[in-house]
Amino acid sequence: MKSLPNTQPNARKFPLVDYHYQTSMLKGSSAPCLQTSKSLRDITRDYFDAEADREFLSEAAVFTALSAMAIMPIVTVISAVLQLLSTLPLF
């Protein structure tokens, strides 16, 4: 939204700032901490220890499927080349 021009000659251009403002002090909490926080390394180690077994099986299945799909065209090409060589007359 476009600001409107100031129509009053004595109007302020900026709001008045209180330079002596002080925030209120917060009192300490009386509740004890339930558990000490772990480091990020410990948290990730706990997570990946549980995840590693499940992820390995799915990744192994995907790797096997991709390997089979990559080998099938190679075997087909080798078979076609051998068939071509068998039909060509030898010198």
Side-chain angles (χ1 to χ4, degrees), residues 5-56:
N6 212 352
T7 56
Q8 297 175 354
N10 295 335
R12 292 185 189 161
K13 294 184 180 184
F14 295 104
L16 182 63
V17 178
D18 181 13
Y19 292 103
H20 300 289
Y21 176 77
Q22 294 181 359
T23 60
S24 61
M25 301 297 278
L26 297 175
K27 294 181 181 179
S29 174
S30 62
C33 291
L34 295 176
Q35 189 178 39
T36 59
S37 62
K38 295 187 197 177
S39 69
L40 181 61
R41 185 177 184 176
D42 292 337
I43 294 169
T44 54
R45 184 181 299 129
D46 292 343
Y47 175 75
F48 285 118
D49 282 345
E51 282 294 312
D53 296 333
R54 287 180 275 177
E55 290 293 321
F56 176 75

Side-chain angles (χ1 to χ4, degrees), residues 68-84:
M69 286 189 283
I71 290 173
M72 291 169 75
I74 295 170
V75 170
T76 306
V77 168
I78 291 172
S79 172
V81 168
L82 290 175
Q83 186 178 3
L84 176 66

